[in-house]
């Protein structure tokens, strides 16, 4: 793979929702490219299309027009089965509501993508231990989700997102449900994972503090990129982010 | 407005809930519909089954339950008695009958020529009946092929199609009878099919109106007998029928006496009684299943909304309001579901019965929806809905809002020990109610049904306890079949113990139905088949209306192809009143069957129920002076055991006969004892043969032998000749018909199981939308999701199968046991693997077929929608 090529690229991404005779245009042509190893935050007012964009990037949904190129593959060309495979092998998802399987233990939840892939677990024992270590849950490996706190559950979800060494990890408000301390721990975890595991991370967030962990912050408004901090625009700092947010919401 | 009427708030929220969660509401209503429909459908099917069995028996032995015949030496009774008996309460129809053998003359023979040329032998004997064309079809089965019944005092007749064809007659022609008074002409106005009355006298029979027959036969106002059809309620209860018979006997006094029709006896009411009891068990199961389906869906609905209810509580709704809200919803759903269910029930049963079209043709007139079964099913529908809403609602009202609002619902639920303890208690009382307690006879059926209900209930209640064990012993299967997804799927069954319990219970109940019905049917069939085979023994049977000389045996032996002959003589013998008192029916006469043991054993064998291990000793003992075998019926009616004595009135006074063995013999409705010719001659001073059982040589066909006997002796000795083969075929086909409708019940069982699984899985899938979405988002393919749902279902199927097979075995044994206790119809429990294999197959199949819809639902949903919100 050409190292200079972006890990993820969106080209004129448009997403329309039809509600009866009414069309809602959630994304109105988004061009975006994310390099390997980058940590990107997407911000914007509620309803600006953040989640929609994230879902399209992860191949959970298909755009109305435009293209998502993930690890060199245009997603629009893939069928349902191939999309599932891409999600399983190239993408890791983290959600606001953890979405763990309640019947499985923390360790089993982490290993779930491998399980789905049909990989015998014992081959991944080491990796599992490594991940449990990373998310600081080695002593909770055999706990079921309902025996874990929200922050712990989210850490399990993050470990699950990383288990397959994905090209990119997509997180939609991963701290939305957590208190500040747990939220900080999650963000530090994400950053550390990026450093240690060499992953690319995109998070959607409302929280300027969360966004400040990123190298680049992309602001959406009405389905379009309104501003970017980090690469071309200003520097990523809490102050700049808050100012931008205020400007957008005005 | 809501502010002024706080109680309206729950109502508005309740209604809102119903319309907002349309799918769930519809599923719940569906559950109620099914519950009500099942109760109704089984009730209707039961009634139709019983009607069909009645019909089958009527066809075989006639409709009349009682016959009024002349007393003593008299040949006729007064015609007015018919109207008189008709007025006795409990009698539905009293149809008078006169009958006589007459000779038919051909058109071209003058009467004189006929009489002079033939003496008696020229025409074949023809049986002419004089009947009331209105009443008689109610006591005998007339199947008119064409034309109509004779009317009033006109000289008209209906005869059989067979007779008409053989004699080249058709409607409009005259039937010419030669009587002592000369020639009579009756115009043929109708022809009968070869069934029902057309079987009388091998089809050589005609029916004219009573008046005409009385005139032709010069009988005045006298008649020969009255056929009595009684109230069906009485007909199916042997003791009531016996009471009615007694009453008629008292009233008639010296003028005539009532008897059970020879072919029918009081065995038929007892059989009907047994069937009715058997069917009432199925009704019990149906009520259980119906209640259970409703509870299942409704409580699931509430359990699922625990969080939501917690939220209402958190924002200040009171407990009473929560209860009120839930109950309002429940009554609304109950009302809608129950009324729709009634329609579906009627429609379902009709539909199922139509499948049995051949049968339906005649039985359809009996398929009515009785008001009782309608109100019963509706009542059950609404009551159970409210009840099954109340329990979880109370529970919901009592849970802390905190618990309810936890982000992640608990992965497993605790099982409340109260439930399974109650279950064990129920099992125990159901068991002891059946096996240990002695109920008075009028409570027996109710107690038996209640016990079975308790057993089922108990079995369901201890299920939560079994879920883990069952899951552990079943999990290998989905794992092998579906791999890793199988493991995830089968683990899901532990998620909601209550729901898994309900599904397994559904499967269990349906398997119990299949196994129970299968076993009972098999047991009955084998019982009858076994008896037929052993009773038949030989290949050809020759019976005569007049007792034949013993020497006729040698004449028969001259027919080629005969290997052995066993003669039998039937003699009605009486017992002293003191002895008759022992039986509930106070019956004082039995049939003494005289056999020649050596000849008998060359051809067939007795089925002994005592001394089975050493039949040789039984036979040896029979050779003794005044030794007899008694049938199982006699043994139970008169409480006799081997070694005890039976007193009989003989030509040499009252004598004690020693019982040496009990046999399974249902000839003469089981009122039969067997002894040797020697004892017959010594004590009853009788001889002769009523029936010959013939074994043919290996190389000759029984049909050919039968024909040869017919041509050599048939006409002259008025013989009736049958082959074992034709009898077996007709018995088998009768049985098949009677049991056919049980297959409908099996089908109902399958439907229940399927619906139970579909219901649960759909709920599961709906509830786990987010989870399935999450699995898809981390890369599970649609196919893998399908496999996961199928595996979950397979796990439940396997669990239901294990439990259902085990419990089905117990229940089917219990069924047969209860039948034996509750009716005076004795059958042995017989194990047959077939229903078990069928059940296992059905459980697996049902689990997979039922999972198709839900798994389709699971993969069809949009991932984003699924993971978006709570
Ligand atoms: N399934 C859908 N059908 C119709 N419209 C939709 C659907 N999903 C999203 N939308 C619309 O698309 C737009 C973008 O929604 P999206 O969920 O991407 O916003 P968001 O930026 O994630 O908002 P928030 O910060 O509140 O999560 C909104 O106007 C929303 O109403
Ligand atoms: Mg969003």
């Amino acid at each position: 793979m050409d190292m200079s090529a972006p890990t993820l690229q969106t080209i004129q991404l448009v997403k329309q929702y039809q509600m009866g005779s009414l069309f809602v245009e959630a994304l109105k042509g988004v061009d975006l490219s994310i390099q390997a190893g980058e940590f990107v935050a997407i911000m914007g007012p509620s309803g600006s299309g953040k989640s929609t964009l994230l879902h399209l990037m992860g191949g959970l949904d298909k755009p109305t027009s435009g293209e998502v190129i993930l690890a060199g593959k245009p997603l629009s060309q893939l069928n349902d089965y191939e999309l599932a495979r891409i999600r399983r092998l190239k993408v890791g998802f983290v959600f606001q509501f953890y979405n763990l399987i309640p019947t499985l233990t923390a360790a089993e939840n982490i290993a779930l993508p491998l399980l789905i892939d049909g990989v015998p677990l014992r081959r991944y024992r080491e990796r599992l231990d490594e991940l449990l270590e990373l998310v600081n849950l080695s002593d909770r490996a055999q706990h079921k989700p309902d025996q874990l706190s929200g922050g712990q559950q989210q850490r399990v979800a993050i470990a699950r997102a990383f288990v397959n060494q994905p090209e990119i990890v997509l997180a939609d408000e991963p701290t939305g449900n957590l208190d500040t301390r747990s939220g900080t721990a999650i963000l530090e975890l994400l950053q550390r994972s990026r450093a240690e595991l060499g992953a690319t991370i995109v998070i959607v967030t409302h929280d300027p503090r969360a966004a400040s962990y990123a190298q680049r912050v992309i602001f959406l408004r009405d389905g379009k990129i309104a501003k970017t901090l980090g690469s071309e625009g200003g520097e990523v700092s809490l102050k700049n982010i808050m100012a931008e947010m205020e400007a957008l919401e005005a | 407005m809501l502010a002024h009427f706080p109680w309206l708030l729950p109502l508005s929220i309740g209604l809102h809930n119903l319309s907002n969660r349309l799918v769930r509401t519809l599923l719940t209503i569906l559950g109620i519909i099914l519950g009500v429909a099942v109760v109704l459908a089984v009730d209707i099917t039961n009634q139709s089954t019983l009607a069909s069995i009645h019909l089958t028996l009527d066809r075989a032995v006639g409709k009349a339950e009682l016959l009024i015949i002349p007393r003593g030496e008299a040949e006729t009774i007064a015609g007015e008695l018919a109207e008189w008996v008709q007025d006795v309460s409990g009698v539905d129809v009293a149809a008078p009958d006169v009958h006589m053998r007459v000779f038919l003359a051909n058109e071209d023979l003058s009467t004189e020529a006929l009489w002079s040329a033939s003496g008696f032998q020229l025409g074949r004997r023809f049986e002419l009946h004089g009947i009331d064309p209105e009443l008689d079809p109610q006591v005998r089965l007339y199947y008119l092929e064409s034309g109509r019944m004779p009317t009033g005092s006109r000289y008209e007749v209906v005869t059989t199609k067979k007779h008409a064809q053989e004699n080249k007659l058709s409607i409009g022609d005259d039937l010419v009878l030669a009587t002592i008074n000369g020639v009579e002409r009756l115009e043929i106005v109708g022809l009968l099919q070869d069934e029902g009355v057309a079987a009388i006298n091998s089809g050589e029979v005609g029916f004219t109106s009573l008046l005409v027959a009385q005139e032709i036969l010069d009988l005045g106002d006298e008649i020969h007998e009255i056929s009595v059809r009684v109230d069906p309620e009485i007909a199916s209860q042997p003791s009531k029928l016996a009471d009615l018979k007694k009453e008629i006997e008292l009233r008639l006094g010296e003028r005539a006496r009532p008897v059970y029709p020879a072919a029918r006896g009081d065995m038929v009411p007892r059989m009907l009684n047994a069937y009715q009891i058997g069917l009432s068990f199925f009704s019990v199961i149906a009520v259980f299943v119906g209640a259970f389906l409703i509870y299942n869906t409704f409580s699931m609905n509430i359990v699922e909304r625990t969080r939501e209810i917690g939220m209402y509580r958190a924002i200040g709704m009171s407990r009473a309001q929560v209860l009120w809200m839930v109950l309002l919803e429940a009554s609304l759903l109950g009302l809608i579901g129950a009324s729709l269910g009634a329609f579906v029930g009627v429609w379902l049963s009709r539909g199922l019965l139509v499948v049995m079209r051949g049968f339906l043709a005649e039985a359809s007139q009996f398929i009515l929806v009785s008001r009782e079964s309608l109100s019963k099913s509706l009542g059950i529908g609404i009551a159970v809905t409210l009840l099954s809403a109340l329990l979880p609602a109370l529970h919901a009202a009592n849970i802390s809002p905190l618990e309810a609002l936890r982000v992640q619902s608990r992965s497993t639920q605790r099982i409340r020990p109260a439930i399974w303890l109650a279950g064990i208690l129920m099992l125990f009382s159901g068991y002891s109610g059946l096996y240990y307690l002695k109920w008075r006879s009028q409570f027996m059926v109710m107690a038996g049904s209640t016990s079975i209900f308790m057993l089922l209930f108990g079995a369901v209640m201890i299920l939560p306890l079994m879920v883990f064990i069952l899951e552990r012993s079943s999990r290998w299967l989905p794992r092998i079949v579906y791999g890793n997804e199988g493991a995830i799927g089968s683990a899901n069954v532990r998620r909601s113990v209550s729901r898994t319990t309900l599904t397994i219970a559904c499967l269990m109940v349906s398997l119990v139905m299949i196994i129970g019905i299968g076993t009972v049917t098999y047991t009955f069939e084998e019982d009858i088949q076994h008896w037929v085979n052993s009773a038949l023994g030989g290949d050809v049977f020759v019976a005569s209306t007049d007792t034949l000389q013993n020497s006729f045996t040698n004449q028969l032996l001259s027919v080629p192809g005969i290997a052995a002959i066993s003669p039998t003589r039937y003699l009605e013998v009486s017992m002293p009143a003191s002895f008759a008192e022992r039986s509930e029916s106070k019956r004082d006469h039995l049939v003494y069957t005289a056999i020649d043991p050596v000849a008998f054993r060359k051809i067939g064998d007795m089925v002994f129920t005592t001394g089975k291990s050493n039949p040789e000793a039984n036979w040896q003992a029979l050779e003794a002076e005044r030794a007899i075998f008694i049938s199982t019926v006699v043994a139970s009616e008169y409480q006799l055991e081997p070694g005890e004595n039976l007193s009989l009135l003989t030509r040499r006074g009252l004598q004690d006969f020693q019982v040496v063995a009990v046999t399974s013999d249902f000839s003469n409705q089981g009122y039969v004892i067997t002894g040797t010719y020697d004892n017959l001659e010594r004590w009853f001073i009788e001889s002769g043969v009523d029936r010959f059982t013939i074994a043919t040589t290996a190389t000759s066909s029984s049909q050919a032998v039968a024909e040869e006997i017919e041509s050599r002796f048939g006409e002259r000795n008025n013989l009736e000749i049958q082959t074992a083969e034709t009898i077996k075929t007709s018995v088998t086909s009768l049985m098949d018909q009677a049991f056919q409708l049980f297959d409908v019940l099996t089908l109902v069982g399958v439907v229940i199981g399927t619906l139970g699984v579909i219901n649960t899985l759909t709920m599961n899938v709906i509830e786990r939308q987010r989870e399935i979405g999450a699995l898809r988002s981390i890369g599970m393919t649609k196919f893998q999701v399908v496999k996961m749902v199928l595996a979950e279902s397979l796990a439940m199927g396997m669990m239901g199968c294990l439990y259902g097979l085990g419990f089905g075995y117990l229940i089917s044994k219990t069924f047969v046991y209860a039948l034996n206790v509750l009716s005076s119809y004795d059958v042995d429990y017989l194990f047959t693997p077939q229903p078990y294999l069928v059940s296992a197959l059905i459980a697996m199949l049902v689990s997979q077929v039922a999972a198709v819809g839900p798994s389709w639902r699971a993969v069809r949903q949009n991932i984003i929608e699924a993971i978006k919100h709570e």
Side-chain angles (χ1 to χ4, degrees):
Chain A
M1 192 172 45
D2 182 359
M3 283 309 286
S4 64
T7 294
L8 186 137
Q9 195 178 4
T10 69
I11 303 161
Q12 276 303 303
L13 210 52
V14 173
K15 179 69 185 178
Q16 274 184 352
Y17 292 108
Q18 191 180 359
M19 305 186 68
S21 57
L22 202 74
F23 284 91
V24 177
E25 206 156 48
L27 293 179
K28 301 173 179 168
V30 174
D31 288 300
L32 185 65
S33 103
I34 295 166
Q35 301 300 320
E38 246 195 309
F39 189 153
V40 177
I42 298 174
M43 295 196 78
S46 186
S48 56
K50 305 182 294 289
S51 298
T52 306
L53 178 59
L54 199 75
H55 293 153
L56 290 177
M57 294 198 297
L60 284 179
D61 205 357
K62 298 212 162 187
T64 311
S65 70
E67 182 64 273
V68 176
I69 298 167
L70 178 61
K73 284 206 178 80
L75 297 188
S76 68
Q77 318 250 309
L78 304 180
N79 64 23
D80 196 76
Y81 173 77
E82 289 162 330
L83 270 180
R85 227 177 100 78
I86 286 278
R87 287 201 299 270
R88 188 158 73 227
L89 301 176
K90 308 276 185 206
V91 185
F93 273 106
V94 178
F95 300 100
Q96 181 177 351
F97 300 105
Y98 334 126
N99 283 327
L100 300 178
I101 306 302
T103 42
L104 304 180
T105 63
E108 286 167 338
N109 261 295
I110 294 172
L112 196 58
L114 303 174
L115 222 62
I116 295 173
D117 213 26
V119 180
L121 265 189
R122 60 198 133 69
R123 275 216 254 142
Y124 274 76
R125 192 76 323 144
E126 251 170 66
R127 172 143 187 88
L128 221 54
D129 290 340
E130 203 180 306
L131 280 168
L132 279 164
E133 188 80 30
L134 179 78
V135 299
N136 202 10
L137 282 175
S138 301
D139 52 338
R140 296 289 154 92
Q142 296 314 313
H143 284 49
K144 297 271 174 75
D146 64 355
Q147 297 159 333
L148 298 173
S149 74
Q152 288 169 331
Q153 288 187 52
Q154 193 61 303
R155 272 151 45 203
V156 172
I158 289 173
R160 181 179 70 184
F162 281 103
V163 75
N164 255 337
Q165 290 168 299
E167 303 274 340
I168 191 163
V169 170
L170 305 170
D172 196 347
E173 309 202 20
T175 58
N177 241 346
L178 302 172
D179 60 49
T180 323
R181 240 191 43 201
S182 315
T184 308
I186 293 294
L187 289 162
E188 269 161 10
L189 173 62
L190 281 173
Q191 204 165 41
R192 197 145 40 86
S193 314
R194 187 178 67 90
E196 284 178 24
L197 307 172
T200 312
I201 295 175
V202 178
I203 67 169
V204 163
T205 184
H206 276 118
D207 179 5
R209 262 180 12 83
S212 68
Y213 280 80
Q215 298 162 314
R216 187 151 60 113
V217 183
I218 295 166
F219 292 91
L220 283 189
R221 181 174 173 174
D222 291 339
K224 278 193 235 161
I225 296 178
K227 171 95 186 173
T228 305
L229 284 181
S231 55
E232 69 241 46
E235 170 201 349
V236 177
S237 69
L238 202 56
K239 203 182 102 216
N240 282 353
I241 295 170
M242 296 212 333
E244 280 304 330
M245 285 286 283
E246 245 160 72
L248 279 178
E249 265 153 29
Chain B
M1 187 171 99
L2 286 178
H4 296 284
F5 301 100
W7 53 270
L8 271 180
L9 177 72
L11 176 63
S12 87
I13 294 179
L15 286 176
H16 211 71
N17 274 335
L18 294 184
S19 59
N20 255 6
R21 313 202 158 195
L22 206 58
V23 176
R24 186 164 305 170
T25 303
L26 289 181
L27 273 178
T28 311
I29 291 182
L30 186 69
I32 300 171
I33 290 176
L34 290 175
V36 172
V38 162
V39 174
L40 199 58
V42 169
D43 253 23
I44 295 173
T45 312
N46 272 357
Q47 279 164 21
S48 314
T49 308
L50 210 60
S52 307
I53 292 170
H54 266 286
L55 205 69
T56 308
L57 291 173
D58 288 351
R59 252 198 228 170
V61 297
K63 281 182 181 179
E65 282 91 7
L66 293 172
L67 272 183
I68 314 282
I69 57 171
R71 248 185 202 288
E73 301 290 292
E75 294 210 326
T76 58
I77 54 181
E80 61 181 23
L81 287 184
E83 285 151 47
W84 199 81
V85 170
Q86 176 88 59
D87 289 339
V88 176
S89 89
V91 171
D92 270 5
V93 184
D97 180 65
V98 303
H99 50 83
M100 191 157 277
R101 293 267 169 116
V102 294
F103 295 95
L104 291 184
N106 289 327
E107 290 282 358
D108 49 357
L109 282 178
S110 67
T111 333
E112 293 89 307
L114 182 75
W115 282 105
S116 58
S118 63
F120 275 95
Q121 301 296 332
L122 210 140
R124 193 172 166 92
R125 283 204 257 177
F126 186 83
E127 199 168 303
L128 183 69
H129 283 256
I131 51 135
D132 183 325
E134 299 281 312
L135 296 180
D136 219 53
Q138 298 179 54
V139 295
R140 279 192 280 225
L141 293 157
Y142 287 82
Y143 298 100
L144 265 184
E145 159 106 358
S146 55
R148 56 174 174 81
M149 296 291 284
T151 41
S153 54
R154 288 213 231 136
Y155 273 53
E156 293 172 342
V157 70
V158 293
T159 185
T160 63
K161 193 177 72 179
K162 179 173 167 238
H163 178 81
Q165 273 169 359
E166 278 171 9
N167 295 283
K168 303 197 173 53
L169 293 169
S170 53
I171 290 180
D173 291 342
D174 280 350
L175 201 67
V176 188
L177 310 176
T179 71
I180 311 165
N181 303 331
V183 170
E184 301 283 359
R185 288 171 179 275
L186 300 176
E187 187 191 344
I188 298 174
V189 294
L191 294 177
L192 296 162
Q193 289 171 29
D194 297 335
E195 278 176 276
V197 287
I200 295 176
N201 199 31
S202 311
E204 296 299 308
V205 65
F207 298 86
T208 183
S209 73
L210 187 66
L211 288 175
V212 173
Q214 283 172 331
E215 224 170 277
I216 292 175
L217 305 175
D218 216 4
L219 280 172
D221 193 31
E222 294 284 290
I223 56 175
H224 287 122
E225 62 180 36
I226 305 167
S227 301
V228 179
R229 177 104 194 161
V230 309
D231 189 336
E233 183 73 10
I234 296 175
S236 59
Q237 301 203 11
S239 60
K240 282 194 183 167
L241 185 60
D243 285 347
L244 181 65
K245 177 171 172 270
K246 195 123 267 178
E247 191 192 322
I248 294 175
E249 188 160 16
L250 266 169
R251 291 226 210 156
L252 287 174
E254 285 306 306
R255 288 175 287 182
R257 73 185 174 106
V259 293
Y260 295 116
R264 199 173 174 100
D266 61 352
M267 162 83 160
V268 169
R270 294 194 311 158
M271 250 172 93
L272 283 175
N273 188 233
Y275 277 128
Q276 212 161 33
I277 293 171
L279 290 174
S280 73
F281 290 163
F282 296 145
S283 260
V284 169
I285 296 192
V287 168
F288 182 80
V289 169
F292 173 79
L293 272 174
I294 296 170
Y295 177 78
N296 182 347
T297 31
F298 204 83
S299 64
M300 234 178 241
N301 181 326
I302 299 292
V303 167
E304 249 158 55
R305 283 171 27 200
T306 304
R307 276 196 65 167
E308 187 185 311
I309 290 170
M311 189 197 69
Y312 289 133
R313 296 267 292 119
I315 59 170
M317 205 183 241
S318 72
R319 272 178 198 177
Q321 279 175 313
V322 167
L323 266 181
W324 175 225
M325 176 180 85
V326 171
L327 289 182
L328 267 175
E329 266 186 62
S331 29
L332 202 66
L333 290 180
L335 223 62
I336 297 172
S339 8
L340 286 176
F343 280 110
V344 176
V346 174
W347 174 81
L348 185 71
S349 49
R350 290 239 162 125
L352 288 174
L353 289 167
V354 162
V355 178
M356 323 265 136
R357 191 176 295 269
F359 219 58
L360 193 71
E362 293 163 50
S364 60
Q365 47 179 315
F366 301 104
I367 306 175
L368 354 127
V369 186
S370 72
R371 199 168 297 161
E372 289 99 86
S373 37
L374 201 64
S375 47
K376 175 171 123 195
S377 52
L378 280 177
I380 286 171
I382 294 170
V384 173
T385 304
L386 282 179
L387 210 71
S388 45
L390 192 63
L391 296 178
L394 274 173
H395 180 61
N398 281 328
I399 43 175
S400 123
L402 286 177
E403 171 81 11
L405 289 178
R406 278 179 66 98
V407 170
Q408 190 90 44
S409 60
R410 289 197 167 275
S411 63
T412 51
Q413 290 157 305
R414 252 175 300 127
I415 312 158
R416 273 173 294 170
I419 291 188
W420 57 260
L421 280 176
I424 289 175
L425 202 73
M426 285 240 183
L427 279 180
F428 183 74
S429 26
Y431 180 80
S432 49
L434 266 175
Y435 284 87
Y436 292 111
L437 301 183
K438 295 266 169 275
W439 299 94
R440 286 221 222 127
S441 62
Q442 63 262 46
F443 298 127
M444 274 215 299
V445 173
M446 214 177 70
S449 303
T450 314
S451 298
I452 288 176
F453 196 87
M454 295 235 256
L455 284 179
L456 285 169
F457 216 127
V460 172
M461 299 228 290
I462 62 159
L463 250 181
L465 211 60
M466 315 288 288
V467 164
F468 292 94
I469 304 166
L470 287 170
E471 199 266 340
R472 206 148 292 167
S473 39
S474 307
R475 74 165 67 132
W476 56 271
L477 185 68
R479 215 164 267 199
I480 287 177
V481 179
Y482 294 115
N484 274 342
E485 299 87 335
I488 300 174
S490 82
N492 276 338
V493 304
R494 273 175 295 170
R495 293 275 284 278
S496 162
V497 172
S498 64
R499 189 174 308 164
T500 302
T501 301
L502 290 171
T503 317
I504 296 175
C506 248
L507 280 169
M508 176 204 88
V509 165
S510 93
L511 295 201
V512 164
M513 235 166 136
I514 295 167
I515 294 172
I517 291 166
T519 305
V520 169
T521 311
Y522 177 79
T523 302
F524 276 155
E525 277 186 350
E526 281 300 298
D527 193 54
I528 299 171
Q529 203 91 57
H530 186 57
W531 163 68
V532 167
N533 283 339
S534 60
L536 289 181
D539 303 311
V540 179
F541 310 97
V542 177
S544 170
T545 39
D546 322 308
T547 302
L548 297 164
Q549 302 270 303
N550 285 28
S551 61
F552 189 69
T553 313
N554 297 328
Q555 277 181 280
L556 271 181
L557 269 173
S558 68
V559 174
I562 290 181
I565 296 179
S566 167
T568 315
R569 170 86 160 98
Y570 300 107
L571 184 72
E572 187 165 307
V573 294
S574 311
M575 51 182 99
S578 60
F579 209 87
E581 286 295 314
R582 285 191 184 196
S583 88
E584 217 171 308
S585 64
K586 314 239 181 324
R587 184 186 173 110
D588 65 357
H589 54 279
L590 299 170
V591 167
Y592 182 100
T593 308
I595 56 168
D596 171 353
V598 178
F600 183 90
R601 296 182 67 194
K602 269 192 202 150
I603 293 172
D605 204 354
M606 280 281 176
V607 184
F608 291 110
T609 60
T610 60
K612 278 185 205 173
S613 55
N614 193 357
E616 201 54 45
N618 288 341
W619 283 109
Q620 219 110 88
L622 191 69
E623 300 281 356
E625 188 100 320
R626 280 171 295 161
I628 48 169
F629 294 156
I630 61 173
S631 72
T632 46
V633 172
V634 172
S636 74
E637 279 271 308
Y638 300 94
Q639 293 127 46
L640 285 170
E641 278 175 29
E644 297 181 337
N645 288 330
L646 172 66
S647 308
L648 293 174
L649 296 164
T650 72
R651 291 284 279 274
R652 295 172 190 273
L654 193 61
Q655 296 288 341
D656 276 346
F657 283 71
Q658 195 185 32
V659 177
V660 295
V662 180
T663 65
S664 175
D665 187 344
F666 291 99
S667 58
N668 191 47
Q669 303 93 52
Y671 287 102
V672 56
I673 58 179
T674 307
T676 59
Y677 261 101
D678 288 346
N679 278 319
L680 180 79
E681 275 154 27
R682 176 158 317 153
W683 301 101
F684 299 98
I685 330 275
E686 283 280 352
S687 65
V689 183
D690 291 315
R691 183 181 156 95
F692 293 96
T693 308
I694 297 170
T696 57
T697 55
T699 51
S700 53
S701 97
S702 47
Q703 194 56 42
V705 171
E707 275 162 21
E708 183 64 23
I709 297 172
E710 168 74 35
S711 75
R712 286 202 199 181
F713 311 105
E715 200 71 6
R716 186 153 28 108
N717 297 293
N718 216 8
L719 297 183
E720 240 181 74
I721 302 157
Q722 279 181 301
T723 61
E725 232 153 272
T726 52
I727 296 176
K728 277 181 196 169
T729 326
S730 79
V731 167
T732 310
S733 89
L734 272 178
M735 229 159 37
D736 283 351
Q737 280 189 320
F739 290 123
Q740 213 172 38
L741 277 162
F742 286 112
D743 293 344
V744 175
L745 291 179
T746 307
L747 221 59
V748 171
V750 174
V751 171
I752 293 165
T754 314
L755 293 173
V757 177
I758 290 179
N759 199 340
T760 307
L761 279 181
T762 307
M763 292 269 196
N764 282 353
V765 165
I766 291 177
E767 195 190 52
R768 295 192 204 131
Q769 268 182 12
R770 277 166 54 75
E771 192 177 311
I772 293 168
L775 284 168
R776 297 259 287 126
S777 74
I778 61 171
M780 213 181 223
T781 63
K782 285 187 177 174
F783 181 56
Q784 284 177 311
V785 172
V786 169
K787 283 209 283 187
M788 190 181 70
V789 177
L790 284 176
E792 179 174 349
S793 190
L794 185 62
M796 287 196 285
M798 181 74 187
M799 290 161 79
C801 178
L802 287 180
Y803 200 57
L805 292 191
F807 199 67
Y809 173 74
L810 284 180
I811 279 279
S812 60
K813 271 197 109 152
T814 306
F815 263 19
V816 176
Y817 173 82
L819 267 182
N820 275 325
V821 172
L822 298 181
S823 72
S824 41
Y825 188 78
D826 277 329
V827 279
D828 285 331
Y829 170 82
L830 290 174
F831 178 82
T832 163
Q834 200 205 350
Y836 294 86
L837 292 177
V838 170
S839 301
L841 209 71
I842 283 176
M844 298 302 151
L845 224 64
V846 156
S847 81
Q848 297 305 278
V849 172
V852 169
S855 60
W856 167 240
R857 207 191 153 88
V859 296
R860 201 192 34 179
Q861 70 185 359
N862 186 303
I863 306 174
I864 296 164
E865 287 301 316
I867 55 176
K868 206 168 183 180
H869 301 291
E870 277 294 271

